[in-house]
Amino acid sequence: MIDLTHRSAAECLLRLHDERLEIEGFQKGVPRWCAGCGDNAVLTAAQRLLRDEGLRPEKTVFVSGIGCSSRFPHYMNTYGFHGIHGRALPVAEGIRLARPDLNVFVNTGDGDSFSIGAAHWIHAIRYNMRMVVMVHDNQIYGLTKKQASPTSPRGTRSNTTPRGSYLEGLNPLTVTLGVQNVSFVAQAADWIPEMLYEILQAAFHHDGLAFIRIVQRCPEWMPDNFDPWLHDPSRVQLLHHPSSLSISSSLASLFPNHLEHDPSDIHRAREIASSSDPLPVGILYHDPTVPRYDEIIRSEATHSSASVRRLLDAEFDKVAVTGGELDD
Amino acid sequence: MSTVQSTRSELSAEVGERQVVTLTEHVVEIISDSGEGAQRCGQSFGAIAARTGNGVWTVEIIPAEIQPPARSVAGASGNRVRLGSGPITNGGDEADLVVAFNEQVLLGRVHARELKPGCTILLEDMWREHRDPRIAASYAETYDLLVAAGYRIIEVPMERECRTLVSDARRGKNMYALGMLCAIYQFDLGLAREQVALTFRKKTQALIDTNVTLLTAGYEWALANLDLAFHVPAAPTDQRQVVTNGNTALALGVVASGMEICSMYPITPATSASHYLSEIFPKVGGVVHQAEDEIAAATFAIGASYAGKCAVTITSGPGYSLKQEAIGLAVMAEIPLVVVNVQRGGPSTGQPTKVEQGDLLTSIFGSHGDAPKVVIAASSIEDCFYSIITARRIAETFNTVVVVLSDASLATAQQPYPRPEFDPAWLAPPVDQSHVPDGLQPYAWDETTGLSRRFTPGQPGGMYTLTGLAHDTSGSVAYDPDANEQGLHARSLKLAALQKTLRPPRVHGDESGDLLVIGWGGTRGAIEEAVDRLRAEGREVSSLHLRFLNPLPPGLKEIMAGFDQVMTVEANWSDRLDDPIIDETNRRYSALAMLLRSRYLVDVDTWSEVGGQPIKPGRVQRAILRKLDGR
Ligand SMILES: Cc1ncc(C[n+]2csc(CCOP(=O)(O)OP(=O)(O)O)c2C)c(N)n1
Ligand code: SF4
Ligand SMILES: [Mg+2]
């Protein structure tokens, strides 16, 4: 692979003198989400992150599938890839493999990732390629107008389940924590922007795939869905640890329920993940040492006209027909 | 090597005593239970013939199961080797000489009608005295049956002879058989020994020595005991040649095209291309990603292409079906992508190892909506190599999907072809990271060609959101019908622009006559051979082989106009007019015939065969004769 990270020293120097962009520099268009839609909070957090980290818009790609949440890249002034339903992760993996120099973010919905894209979700966790994955989990199919999703709580009345959905909702956190090579799992809620931002920032600095389930309100189709947690903040449990996130005093006063949790403890992480009430918010699991597939499979050899010629020559030699004469 | 060569001259006196029959070509089959090494024997025999200067085409004989029961009619595993004085472009008709390790696999080939009536069969005789009386009886019965049917069976004590040299004759009998064949066909023993050493180059010297000993023993036994001696004179060539199968050529084509990423999911008969690529690709910094499924394989490749490294995904029928939505995305968003479909029998799981050209129409029209894409088909082993280079280039020039069709008849067949000389121009230019000119839009479609300049992440000033939704020139979602139509228009124009760069295909034979046969893909060798045979008899028939299927090249209508009749020959389904309820109003034509009829309003007939085997020149010859004689 050609390493694009160090293309030219001049380019790097230039960058040092670049002005950091203000938040407007990362904004594009007017989001078409419903008023009160939780996706707006995610967008703001992401734009803040890019500003604070001083990322270059041209070096950043937001990849999504299809759904309300997958409109996200249209509102970022970066490169964006609004692809097909369920396939954001493999697209992002291809980008990551081709371009180690880019910042890769994924925005996907609960239907997009846990239903049609479920295979890719499991395997993306296992590949552990460097990227930040934000799952906007509103527990419903928003864009297609209210059908039950895999995470809809049992009994959810939707257009395909008018008498209430039949099955218990799938718990994306416990599933993710059960996958080999999982390296970063967090849960955020759109209505706690401070935590959302800090989680996103930690995720961005994680050297692997950072999976964030964002509990997201959909006032249009699920207006009362998270009322119990909104009305009683003590039903939200903020996770903190000296090695991980700390809770500011202002946040602590709003959300009194805290739990010290060491994110290197996967067993404890799985226990915490299995609870929806209280709703854990914070970093559940973090292991920075898990190898990344994008690094493992990249070979040392460089791609060049010379190396291609050498390889073809060597391979054609092995299958060469020498003709009638024997060459000793 | 000099000691090896002297062996040849010592033995040459004995050879001299036999009647050597000179031939222009011969079809040889070596068959065994799977695991007994007949494939390796056949491949080595083919390589020796090629190195001697013969034209060669080898076809793998593969049982459907990995480990079929021993001694079963459906379990024949091995190789067909057709060798000739001139170039050989296909597996030919029925076999002239067969080496069989048991009578059951032999029966399998008889049932499949792959053996020429009365052909010579060298049959392992150990079964005659087998301690299991049922096996002995079955052997004797089959032997008598085949002899009565006119086959010339020579019983050969391969097992017994090998046992005098090795303890387990199951391993090694294949090299003994190879030695016999080399003696029969007058091949140089020194060359054969060299080939055996090459075949086992990754093994220990002791193993190489054992195999060379077996080879020599088989060679000497044949000289001493068989009155069979054939000579297919080789035309010496100065040309540097290589021998590979189609899938190896595809993989080498991927390397030569400059692509660095291949994402795939295993599927027969495409997988071996990825196996080989996995072995060699890291040497040039390339990666083979085995994705979790074909949808992921396609979208992964799309991601890589979008990010500036045009990627390839290699598959076969069922996997190709799964990729359709992703292909539509690449067409819509104008992302270069190379999709290789090594076709197999369909629909559904179909016939995984069998030959069929059933995916032409789905390649052209697959994916919902109007999704114009380029489709090219390799028509020879060599073509498999160059098609990928062409495909990558077209994909990146026209920012679209290029489907490369191969099939099971090319995938595992081997043939010598001129050694490709690497040209750095085959490679992709470096990823464009220049500043996008101010004001330039990501889909600034050219009014004439539909082309626009692709923006790659990393390019300052080029930030836009790619979408599979209908979009306007700025890439923004297009809600108004005019913008949607503009996009459809531009994507369609690109195919026309490509078509303008193509040359009319060359007619094989005269440019006018009674009948023009049109084919595509892996049937080329058989069709041209059939045409040559009939032309030699004075028949006015010519053929045309299409490499570009979408867009079709210019000049076809004019070419067809030179002939009284036109007919395609294809390995996909077409309704037979002798079915009682089939007539002109409901007949389903073969894929290419359908295309030609609809595009050119020419009454193109079709003859097709979907037997799962490579189409034989003799069958094409008969079909042409029936057409010419109005039967
Ligand atoms: C292959 C395919 N099937 C179905 C759809 C229709 N579809 C679009 S979005 C969607 C569900 C979106 O739900 P979710 O992923 O939860 O996103 P949200 O809209 O809730 O953010 C569906 C079923 C599609 N676009 N493509
Ligand atoms: S439907 Fe729900 S998820 Fe979609 S934009 Fe409206 S509030 Fe947000
Ligand atoms: Mg949803």
Side-chain angles (χ1 to χ4, degrees):
Chain A
M1 298 261 141
I2 301 171
D3 185 359
L4 291 154
T5 350
H6 311 291
R7 284 219 109 187
S8 82
E11 203 186 15
C12 299
L13 274 178
L14 270 178
R15 193 157 314 150
L16 283 179
H17 300 294
D18 267 355
E19 296 265 310
R20 288 193 163 216
L21 292 171
E22 287 308 318
I23 201 148
E24 295 76 24
F26 296 102
Q27 292 171 344
K28 188 170 79 182
V30 181
R32 289 178 181 244
W33 291 309
C34 306
C37 174
D39 289 338
N40 290 290
V42 187
L43 182 67
T44 307
Q47 289 167 339
R48 274 186 61 199
L49 178 83
L50 265 60
R51 176 197 62 191
D52 296 349
E53 297 294 333
L55 302 188
R56 296 300 312 167
E58 71 272 13
K59 288 285 193 184
T60 306
V61 188
F62 280 82
V63 184
S64 66
I66 296 290
C68 293
S69 41
S70 288
R71 298 222 148 208
F72 197 97
H74 288 282
Y75 312 131
M76 295 293 303
N77 187 30
T78 61
Y79 279 90
F81 192 114
H82 180 205
I84 47 177
H85 193 28
R87 320 301 170 193
L89 286 166
V91 168
E93 290 155 12
I95 296 171
R96 164 51 70 230
L97 182 71
R99 297 290 299 275
D101 60 320
L102 298 177
N103 310 301
V104 180
F105 295 86
V106 174
N107 296 87
T108 165
D110 42 320
D112 206 52
S113 48
F114 306 141
S115 194
I116 191 167
H120 311 315
W121 159 42
I122 303 297
H123 288 276
I125 300 300
R126 183 167 164 258
Y127 298 145
N128 193 39
M129 299 172 87
R130 184 167 188 165
M131 62 183 70
V132 176
V133 179
M134 292 164 260
V135 185
H136 304 225
D137 189 352
N138 55 7
Q139 306 188 329
I140 198 77
Y141 285 11
L143 188 73
T144 47
K145 302 192 163 74
K146 200 178 187 182
Q147 296 83 23
S149 98
T151 54
S152 297
R154 183 169 175 203
T156 299
R157 288 180 190 280
S158 77
N159 284 317
T160 46
T161 55
R163 283 167 288 281
S165 62
Y166 308 103
L167 302 173
E168 289 299 336
L170 172 156
N171 182 333
L173 294 178
T174 52
V175 176
T176 306
L177 283 164
V179 178
Q180 190 69 39
N181 290 345
V182 60
S183 65
F184 185 107
V185 178
Q187 179 151 270
D190 76 63
W191 63 90
I192 315 177
E194 187 179 329
M195 283 293 269
L196 173 59
Y197 174 81
E198 286 182 11
I199 290 168
L200 198 55
Q201 193 173 40
F204 174 70
H205 288 286
H206 172 61
D207 190 24
L209 186 143
F211 174 90
I212 312 170
R213 179 205 190 196
I214 303 168
V215 179
Q216 178 232 323
R217 287 168 297 174
C218 169
E220 182 71 14
W221 309 124
M222 303 283 273
D224 318 320
N225 196 26
F226 298 114
D227 277 1
W229 293 272
L230 288 158
H231 293 159
D232 180 1
S234 71
R235 292 172 78 164
V236 171
Q237 188 170 53
L238 302 186
L239 307 178
H240 65 98
H241 191 264
S243 71
S244 172
L245 302 183
S246 53
I247 302 165
S248 71
S249 53
S250 56
L251 198 62
S253 61
L254 280 172
F255 295 95
N257 183 352
H258 308 158
L259 179 70
E260 180 164 319
H261 164 60
D262 177 355
S264 67
D265 183 347
I266 196 161
H267 301 295
R268 190 74 188 104
R270 285 175 181 150
E271 265 173 59
I272 296 169
S274 60
S275 159
S276 59
D277 197 7
L279 181 78
V281 167
I283 298 175
L284 284 98
Y285 184 62
H286 184 202
D287 178 356
T289 67
V290 179
R292 286 163 48 189
Y293 176 66
D294 49 326
E295 289 193 331
I296 300 168
I297 53 168
R298 191 170 292 120
S299 88
E300 290 301 308
T302 49
H303 189 267
S304 68
S305 182
S307 64
V308 168
R309 180 191 295 275
R310 249 195 324 276
L311 177 59
L312 289 175
D313 271 347
E315 292 307 304
F316 282 133
D317 280 349
K318 287 185 197 158
V319 291
V321 178
T322 51
E325 295 301 304
L326 273 179
D327 43 354
D328 288 36
Chain B
M1 278 302 143
S2 53
T3 52
V4 170
Q5 272 180 310
S6 63
T7 319
R8 172 89 170 95
S9 41
E10 281 161 29
L11 295 170
S12 58
E14 289 168 60
V15 177
E17 288 156 22
R18 296 181 299 164
Q19 272 291 356
V20 180
V21 182
T22 300
L23 306 157
T24 53
E25 65 138 309
H26 230 207
V27 177
V28 184
E29 286 196 358
I30 305 106
I31 46 172
S32 68
D33 286 342
S34 74
E36 288 187 309
Q39 297 212 345
R40 181 163 273 174
C41 172
Q43 276 160 6
S44 304
F45 183 63
I48 294 164
R51 295 179 69 175
T52 305
N54 284 121
V56 177
W57 184 280
T58 71
V59 184
E60 276 185 16
I61 298 161
I62 321 168
E65 298 161 53
I66 302 271
Q67 292 237 305
R71 293 175 40 79
S72 62
V73 175
S77 164
N79 239 290
R80 157 179 288 217
V81 182
R82 184 180 182 206
L83 57 158
S85 287
I88 298 287
T89 59
N90 64 86
D93 296 317
E94 291 78 22
D96 299 293
L97 184 136
V98 182
V99 180
F101 286 17
N102 69 62
E103 84 290 351
Q104 293 300 316
V105 293
L106 175 64
L107 263 186
R109 300 304 285 166
V110 173
H111 292 169
R113 291 193 289 272
E114 293 289 356
L115 310 191
K116 194 167 282 178
C119 77
T120 304
I121 297 164
L122 299 173
L123 180 61
E124 165 67 61
D125 74 354
M126 64 184 278
W127 314 105
R128 192 173 277 291
E129 309 279 290
H130 201 274
R131 58 189 138 68
D132 182 338
R134 282 165 307 180
I135 290 180
S138 137
Y139 176 86
E141 187 190 334
T142 306
Y143 177 89
D144 294 343
L145 198 101
L146 294 180
V147 169
Y151 292 101
R152 179 183 177 209
I153 304 187
I154 302 168
E155 294 184 88
V156 181
M158 285 187 270
E159 174 87 8
R160 186 152 29 90
E161 292 292 325
C162 289
R163 282 282 189 87
T164 63
L165 300 164
V166 289
S167 55
D168 180 5
R170 250 182 78 87
R171 305 193 164 276
K173 200 188 281 184
N174 59 342
M175 290 297 119
Y176 190 86
L178 178 63
M180 295 194 321
L181 286 171
C182 287
I184 293 170
Y185 286 92
Q186 319 303 310
F187 287 139
D188 186 279
L189 182 58
L191 183 64
R193 286 173 161 179
E194 205 182 63
Q195 184 60 40
V196 171
L198 194 69
T199 304
F200 293 98
R201 66 185 177 278
K202 288 183 184 162
K203 301 283 160 60
T204 62
Q205 187 59 41
L207 195 112
I208 295 175
D209 292 345
T210 307
N211 280 293
V212 169
T213 306
L214 287 161
L215 170 93
T216 313
Y219 187 93
E220 287 170 355
W221 187 89
L223 286 188
N225 297 285
L226 297 178
D227 63 348
L228 288 176
F230 300 118
H231 184 221
V232 183
T237 166
D238 306 338
Q239 206 177 36
R240 302 212 303 158
Q241 290 194 315
V242 290
V243 187
T244 70
N245 68 27
N247 277 357
T248 299
L250 283 176
L252 289 165
V254 170
V255 173
S257 75
M259 287 190 281
E260 295 169 57
I261 293 169
C262 166
S263 56
M264 48 72 68
Y265 187 82
I267 186 162
T268 304
T271 321
S272 67
S274 303
H275 287 177
Y276 177 58
L277 196 59
S278 303
E279 201 176 303
I280 62 172
F281 220 10
K283 293 176 186 161
V284 290
V287 168
V288 175
H289 168 56
Q290 180 181 327
E292 57 271 27
D293 58 36
E294 282 91 350
I295 298 173
T299 45
F300 188 103
I302 286 172
S305 285
Y306 161 75
K309 303 266 176 104
C310 181
V312 58
T313 180
I314 305 180
T315 190
S316 183
Y320 189 73
S321 291
L322 280 178
K323 291 178 202 280
Q324 290 310 310
E325 194 194 4
I327 288 174
L329 168 66
V331 169
M332 180 61 139
E334 305 194 42
I335 307 167
L337 177 70
V338 178
V339 184
V340 180
N341 178 353
V342 184
Q343 299 162 93
R344 61 191 231 175
S348 191
T349 310
Q351 293 198 300
T353 59
K354 298 290 198 264
V355 178
E356 192 176 311
Q357 303 179 303
D359 298 350
L360 177 57
L361 295 179
T362 198
S363 297
I364 296 175
F365 301 113
S367 209
H368 56 283
D370 184 45
K373 57 197 94 63
V374 178
V375 179
I376 58 186
S379 66
S380 67
I381 311 282
E382 182 182 17
D383 230 12
C384 290
F385 177 79
Y386 290 106
S387 293
I388 303 287
I389 300 170
T390 309
R392 203 274 310 148
R393 209 190 242 174
I394 294 174
E396 293 213 82
T397 309
F398 292 84
N399 292 333
T400 193
V401 176
V402 181
V403 180
V404 177
L405 294 173
S406 176
D407 66 57
S409 78
L410 296 172
T412 57
Q414 300 205 50
Q415 181 194 28
Y417 55 94
R419 179 178 173 133
E421 281 308 323
F422 174 66
D423 178 349
W426 291 347
L427 302 183
V431 180
D432 186 359
Q433 295 288 277
S434 65
H435 200 294
V436 168
D438 284 341
L440 183 63
Q441 299 199 309
Y443 297 97
W445 294 301
D446 181 86
E447 277 179 22
T448 313
T449 62
L451 292 171
S452 57
R453 179 172 150 186
R454 182 162 44 104
F455 295 179
T456 305
Q459 282 191 277
M463 288 87 71
Y464 77 106
T465 299
L466 173 148
T467 176
L469 286 159
H471 45 268
D472 60 20
T473 52
S474 73
S476 307
V477 178
Y479 295 101
D480 86 90
D482 286 350
N484 182 42
E485 218 170 87
Q486 201 188 353
L488 284 160
H489 181 214
R491 292 187 296 272
S492 187
L493 278 181
K494 293 196 292 183
L495 281 200
L498 170 61
Q499 191 257 7
K500 292 288 176 208
T501 71
L502 303 179
R503 280 190 296 267
R506 215 176 41 80
V507 177
H508 180 83
D510 288 340
E511 303 220 336
S512 62
D514 295 336
L515 175 67
L516 177 70
V517 177
I518 310 185
W520 63 280
T523 51
R524 176 177 209 138
I527 293 174
E528 291 185 353
E529 184 168 337
V531 165
D532 289 343
R533 288 181 194 172
L534 290 165
R535 291 181 64 80
E537 292 170 13
R539 295 294 192 142
E540 294 189 11
V541 57
S542 301
S543 67
L544 193 65
H545 216 76
L546 300 182
R547 211 172 160 222
F548 277 84
L549 279 317
N550 205 41
L552 287 164
L556 289 188
K557 184 144 194 168
E558 294 74 4
I559 294 171
M560 289 192 280
F563 294 86
D564 292 348
Q565 301 186 84
V566 182
M567 164 176 108
T568 68
V569 166
E570 305 179 57
N572 55 55
W573 182 258
S574 62
D575 285 335
R576 323 287 191 227
L577 281 169
D578 51 13
D579 271 339
I581 60 164
I582 298 297
D583 55 41
E584 275 306 326
T585 67
N586 61 11
R587 182 183 186 197
R588 295 173 65 241
Y589 283 81
S590 277
L592 180 59
M594 197 123 69
L595 281 180
L596 296 174
R597 292 174 69 87
S598 68
R599 176 166 295 279
Y600 301 106
L601 302 180
V602 170
D603 189 10
V604 179
D605 196 1
T606 196
W607 177 83
S608 75
E609 191 174 68
V610 201
Q613 295 303 315
I615 289 189
K616 291 181 166 41
R619 307 264 310 157
V620 178
Q621 197 179 339
R622 281 194 288 280
I624 293 175
L625 275 177
R626 274 197 303 275
K627 180 74 187 167
L628 283 172
D629 298 345
R631 279 181 285 139

